[in-house]
């Protein structure tokens, strides 16, 4: 079997899909994208295409190695996201050709289903208690929300109190046993992260996510001394080498590699195994589309330390299209009692509605991150 063609589709709301074709008619799908940089990743995919055409799609480990090491400059969001989508598609081809789900080729599943959490609210957390109750009423056992608005490196007690009031209202609304993930989204710097972590401790959170930006991860050493809440981080790390120091430092309890950013199934399987050796949990980042989610579930299926999966159904970013719109077998992501079953179909286990993908690609998107500013006019992390 030989790879014959790579086709990319920029589709709403903010995704990039990839179709890899072979000379035997078997097609694989991937989702290589950086949110807000879809066009850049699309170009990177087609640069890698030059090497892949004519190659055997089964040689995934070799192709991954060449795509990563074959350029003098390597790593980073764009390069690794391009590799990620190609890797997903190659695994999809191999699974379909052999009539097996990807997790079967990775050693076989060790769980039948995995807990999922649902996003509530939007970028600015307010009036979210009712939203949280509605999500719990639909069967979810865990939720996540942005924990604060823009926050300067040293900010006011008023900002802290507002964040705490939001979390307190949610905890009161949904009771003591529903998991709450609070995402600081890298908006908080070390001085205020210590304060917020301490003030939120009484609400028994499932985790605090990105209490500081990944490039400031040395600050975690101090933050962990102000809270008993598990610390999660990793959506802006892109390889096992990026995760190496995070794991060896020992300040993170949950890692969140993104299957569309951190090298795909091949690399995230290795990152998960590294984390297991440090007794660190796995909760893959996935506010993206159905192909990315299907890839996450393949790794969840074979990773002992996986405990929960992010998913984007109904997330506030999904304007115009949602994850079920692009697949024919919509039942594959049917949530029950706060869990989703591990897909059992060949390859990724999803059937991409190619005609609909092509139709929506005619509209495409140019999604961009919001740009926020503080009251003094300086740039604020979003």
């Amino acid at each position: 079997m030989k790879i014959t063609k790579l086709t990319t589709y920029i589709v709403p709301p903010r995704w990039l899909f990839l179709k890899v074709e072979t000379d035997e008619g078997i097609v694989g799908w991937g989702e290589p994208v950086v949110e807000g940089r879809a066009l850049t990743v699309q170009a990177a995919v087609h640069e890698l295409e030059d090497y892949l055409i004519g190659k055997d799609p089964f040689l995934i480990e070799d192709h991954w190695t060449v795509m990563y090491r074959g350029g003098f400059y390597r790593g980073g969001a764009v390069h690794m996201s391009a590799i990620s989508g190609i890797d997903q598609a190659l695994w999809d081809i191999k699974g379909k050709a052999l009539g097996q789900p990807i997790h079967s080729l990775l050693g076989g599943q060790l769980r039948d289903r995995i807990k999922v959490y649902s996003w509530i609210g939007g970028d600015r957390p307010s009036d979210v208690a009712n939203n949280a109750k509605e999500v719990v009423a639909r069967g979810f056992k865990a939720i996540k929300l942005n924990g604060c608005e823009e926050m300067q490196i040293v900010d006011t007690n008023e900002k802290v109190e507002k964040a705490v009031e939001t979390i307190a209202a949610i905890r009161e609304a949904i009771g003591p046993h529903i998991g709450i993930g609070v995402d600081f989204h890298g908006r908080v710097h070390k001085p205020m992260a210590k304060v917020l972590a301490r003030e939120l401790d009484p609400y028994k959170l499932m985790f605090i996510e990105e209490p500081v930006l990944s490039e400031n991860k040395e600050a975690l050493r101090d933050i962990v001394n102000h809270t008993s809440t598990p610390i999660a981080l990793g959506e802006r790390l892109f390889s096992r080498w990026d995760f190496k120091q995070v794991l060896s430092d020992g300040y993170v309890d949950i890692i969140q590699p993104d299957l569309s950013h951190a090298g795909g199934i091949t690399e995230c399987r290795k990152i998960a195994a590294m984390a297991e050796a440090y007794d660190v949990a796995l909760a893959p980042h996935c506010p993206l589309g159905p192909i990315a989610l299907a890839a996450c579930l393949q790794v969840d299926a074979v990773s002992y330390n996986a405990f929960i999966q992010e998913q984007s159904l109904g997330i506030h970013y999904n304007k115009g299209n949602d994850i079920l719109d692009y697949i024919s077998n919509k039942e594959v992501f049917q949530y029950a009692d706060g869990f989703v079953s591990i897909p059992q179909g060949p390859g990724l286990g999803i059937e991409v509605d190619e005609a609909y993908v092509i139709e929506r690609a005619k509209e495409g998107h140019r999604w961009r991150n919001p740009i926020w500013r503080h009251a003094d006019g300086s740039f604020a992390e979003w």
Side-chain angles (χ1 to χ4, degrees), residues 10 16 60 97 104 120 123 130 149 163 174 176 215 247 253 261 283 301 312 320 345 347 354 359 375 377:
I10 292 180
L16 173 64
I60 299 172
S104 178
I120 61 167
D123 282 322
N130 287 335
E149 300 181 14
I174 63 178
E215 54 261 40
L247 293 169
D253 305 291
H261 300 334
S312 74
E354 185 174 353
E359 180 62 30

Side-chain angles (χ1 to χ4, degrees), residues 14-17 31-39 41 77 81-82 84-85 258 260-261 288 365:
R14 56 176 191 162
W15 304 332
L16 173 64
F17 293 167
E31 194 168 333
V33 69
V34 173
E35 300 91 305
R37 297 289 185 270
L39 290 165
V41 179
S81 296
S84 297
D258 189 306
S260 283
H261 300 334
L288 295 169
H365 69 81

Side-chain angles (χ1 to χ4, degrees), residues 306-343:
F307 80 102
I308 201 164
Q309 177 59 58
E310 182 174 23
Q311 53 80 43
S312 74
L313 185 64
I315 198 171
H316 49 290
Y317 302 122
N318 291 356
K319 305 296 186 185
N321 279 107
D322 216 320
I323 61 172
L324 299 181
D325 296 342
Y326 290 102
I327 57 175
S328 302
N329 57 334
K330 303 182 191 304
E331 72 283 354
V332 72
F333 296 141
Q334 205 167 57
Y335 305 136
D337 300 321
F339 288 79
V340 65
S341 295
I342 301 299

